[in-house]
Amino acid sequence: MKTVCKRKLCNNRQIFRLIVRMAVSACLVLPVAVRAEKSSPPPGPKHDSEVLVEVGGTTITAGDLKKTLASSPFGVQFNTMNDNAQAALRGVILKRLVTSRLLYLEAKKRKLAENPAIKKDLERFRKSLLYRRFMDRLRRNALPDPATVDRLKRRYKDNPDALAAARAAARARKYRALRVLTIQNLRDRFKVRTFEERIKPGMTPDTILLQGRNIGITYGDLIRGYNLATPPDADWIKERLYQQAEVELAAAGARELKLDVSTRIRNYRNERLPALLRTRLAKKWIPDQQVLRDYYKAHPEIGTVATRWHIGQVVVATRAEAERLRKAIVKGGSLFRIAGRYSIDPYGKAKNGDMGWLRAGSAFPDIEKAIARLKNGEVSPVIKTPRGYHIVTVIDRRQGRRMPFDAIADKVRQAYLDFKMTGYLNELQKKYKIVWKLLAKTDKGSNEKI
């Protein structure tokens, strides 16, 4: 550990601080027990169906929390965290779920689901899901015929790895052939016609390039989502046309087979509506850049880069020993050799006193005061802290500065949106009642704002 710093630097503590930073975008009432770093963590929920929170008459269950946690950046690390870090992460993820649910309920009340852009987006997502389900089904059915399997078994009877590779290759060939045959069959059944002769300069987004029973593709469908500086060439359009035709036909085939994707669609809609509301709010809150410039002027700390010092250090247990070693260093002895031999700080001893870069505000106050007065290469007086007696030198320094607005405009924008969203979410909490069911097992009614 680096004894120049106030706290021990361990993975769980660093993870906890990162978790806390994830929570600053909203100011929701959370039970203390699910987020306190030093308190005894509450037991995890026993069943996925257990209701943790009610938000505006809807529920968030342990299963919802579990799935969201697994898909979070911390999902892989979760089992390596200590109990307090796990409890803190569960609290933050639960808070995010509540935030998302509040925004969803408000978006629903505003009837954003009726927005034409959302409807088109949901339909595109539905078709892509149906396409994948249909093709997965086709792939499962693309099995080599028994004669081919027997032939491969005889050929590779003494080489299991080669047999597995050969069977996979045979199955891939079968799938490609079945895919071509199936798409052609669907084209015939849905009476699909393509109009390649319409692919020419002067096309409009409404130009129909493919049509069939309940299927149609326009030029606008093909270029949607592409920021094209110049019109694409005919080959690019034809390639996109036939790719999109395959998606449309496979989706139509999936509907005939009654393949169900309604749950995925519902989950996607529940994610998209809060995102659409956030976008609309951002446009309302930030009509122009001047709003952000004014906010940065009022909150210069957003763009302040703290002073940093590259530090060398020796730490010993007594003042007498520290004074003796300091005299030796002042007379020309190497602080770094002495640290490697005498320092009681394990990290500093292992690094021969080279403590790396220290950011202003992260060290003991007495050490920072001494560092601020030192010139590069000078040796500090002996400094007492709870960790021992320190002798410090500054190897190099980088002065703090304030970044210009243009260099951190995105960071200022996010800080301003977080600020506005905090107040907005507090208003939504008054509108949509939040009931914490897990409080009965933890603080029995205690609530506290983060």
Side-chain angles (χ1 to χ4, degrees), residues 216-237:
I217 299 175
T218 67
Y219 175 57
D221 294 328
L222 302 181
I223 61 174
R224 183 182 295 111
Y226 290 90
N227 294 319
L228 302 172
T230 58
D233 60 35
D235 289 339
W236 184 91
I237 296 172

Side-chain angles (χ1 to χ4, degrees), residues 224-287:
R224 183 182 295 111
Y226 290 90
N227 294 319
L228 302 172
T230 58
D233 60 35
D235 289 339
W236 184 91
I237 296 172
K238 289 177 184 177
E239 182 180 358
R240 288 281 300 127
L241 176 62
Y242 287 103
Q243 288 173 349
Q244 187 62 34
E246 182 173 297
V247 171
E248 295 282 349
L249 288 166
R255 283 192 290 268
E256 282 191 340
L257 294 171
K258 299 187 183 332
L259 300 183
D260 184 21
V261 294
S262 58
T263 300
R264 292 284 304 277
I265 293 295
R266 183 168 57 253
N267 292 340
Y268 182 70
R269 185 186 65 243
N270 293 351
E271 294 171 3
R272 286 291 294 121
L273 286 179
L276 180 59
L277 179 56
R278 285 178 183 272
T279 299
R280 291 195 169 190
L281 291 171
K283 290 180 179 179
K284 176 184 175 182
W285 293 336
I286 310 175

Side-chain angles (χ1 to χ4, degrees), residues 111-401:
K111 298 184 177 180
L112 296 190
E114 302 302 315
N115 182 280
I118 281 286
K119 287 185 174 181
K120 288 182 179 179
D121 186 35
L122 286 174
E123 185 56 27
R124 285 194 295 270
F125 185 66
R126 184 192 306 277
K127 287 178 181 177
S128 69
L129 284 178
L130 290 171
Y131 170 76
R132 288 197 293 271
R133 289 284 302 275
F134 186 83
M135 288 303 176
D136 286 345
R137 188 175 185 274
L138 202 62
R139 191 176 286 106
R140 288 194 297 271
N141 292 331
L143 300 174
D145 59 82
T148 299
V149 174
D150 289 341
R151 187 177 71 254
L152 294 176
K153 285 181 177 178
R154 289 194 299 271
R155 180 180 298 178
Y156 300 108
K157 62 180 180 179
D158 298 324
N159 192 334
D161 291 339
L163 175 59
R167 292 184 69 165
R171 186 168 186 172
R173 288 192 297 272
K174 182 78 172 181
Y175 168 68
R176 287 194 296 270
L178 185 59
R179 177 176 174 171
V180 171
L181 186 64
T182 301
I183 294 300
Q184 184 58 55
N185 180 266
L186 289 170
R187 287 177 65 92
D188 294 341
R189 281 165 49 202
F190 286 94
K191 303 184 184 306
V192 169
R193 296 175 58 201
T194 55
F195 305 99
E196 291 187 9
E197 68 277 6
R198 297 177 182 176
I199 301 175
K200 57 186 178 182
M203 281 187 302
T204 69
D206 295 329
T207 300
I208 295 173
L209 300 179
L210 180 144
Q211 198 166 29
R213 178 162 53 89
N214 299 323
I215 293 176
I217 299 175
T218 67
Y219 175 57
D221 294 328
L222 302 181
I223 61 174
R224 183 182 295 111
Y226 290 90
N227 294 319
L228 302 172
T230 58
D233 60 35
D235 289 339
W236 184 91
I237 296 172
K238 289 177 184 177
E239 182 180 358
R240 288 281 300 127
L241 176 62
Y242 287 103
Q243 288 173 349
Q244 187 62 34
E246 182 173 297
V247 171
E248 295 282 349
L249 288 166
R255 283 192 290 268
E256 282 191 340
L257 294 171
K258 299 187 183 332
L259 300 183
D260 184 21
V261 294
S262 58
T263 300
R264 292 284 304 277
I265 293 295
R266 183 168 57 253
N267 292 340
Y268 182 70
R269 185 186 65 243
N270 293 351
E271 294 171 3
R272 286 291 294 121
L273 286 179
L276 180 59
L277 179 56
R278 285 178 183 272
T279 299
R280 291 195 169 190
L281 291 171
K283 290 180 179 179
K284 176 184 175 182
W285 293 336
I286 310 175
D288 53 49
Q289 285 288 87
Q290 191 58 45
V291 171
L292 298 180
R293 291 183 182 277
D294 292 342
Y295 186 72
Y296 184 38
K297 186 176 180 180
H299 299 84
E301 68 278 2
I302 296 172
T304 299
V305 178
T307 296
R308 293 174 180 269
W309 303 279
H310 188 181
I311 300 300
Q313 173 186 249
V314 181
V315 190
V316 293
T318 67
R319 179 175 289 278
E321 185 179 15
E323 293 290 359
R324 179 178 63 81
L325 294 176
R326 184 180 184 278
K327 287 179 182 178
I329 295 167
V330 170
K331 289 180 180 180
S334 170
L335 178 145
F336 302 100
R337 289 199 189 96
I338 288 173
R341 183 175 179 182
Y342 295 104
S343 188
I344 62 173
D345 169 25
Y347 179 90
K349 189 178 183 71
K351 298 292 184 179
N352 292 318
D354 187 345
M355 306 304 291
W357 288 90
L358 179 72
R359 179 174 51 81
S362 63
F364 289 106
D366 288 343
I367 288 181
E368 288 204 17
K369 288 178 184 177
I371 290 172
R373 290 193 292 263
L374 291 177
K375 296 179 181 178
N376 290 3
E378 283 187 336
V379 179
S380 74
V382 173
I383 308 163
K384 182 182 178 181
T385 77
R387 300 286 173 81
Y389 294 85
H390 304 244
I391 307 162
V392 179
T393 188
V394 178
I395 302 168
D396 196 4
R397 70 184 69 217
R398 294 173 184 167
Q399 285 299 130
R401 66 192 188 280

Side-chain angles (χ1 to χ4, degrees), residues 1-18:
M1 61 184 173
K2 297 183 181 182
T3 60
V4 71
C5 295
K6 299 175 184 175
R7 306 177 185 176
K8 295 180 180 179
L9 296 177
C10 64
N11 286 337
N12 278 319
R13 183 64 64 89
Q14 290 173 321
I15 289 171
F16 181 82
R17 286 200 293 267
L18 184 55

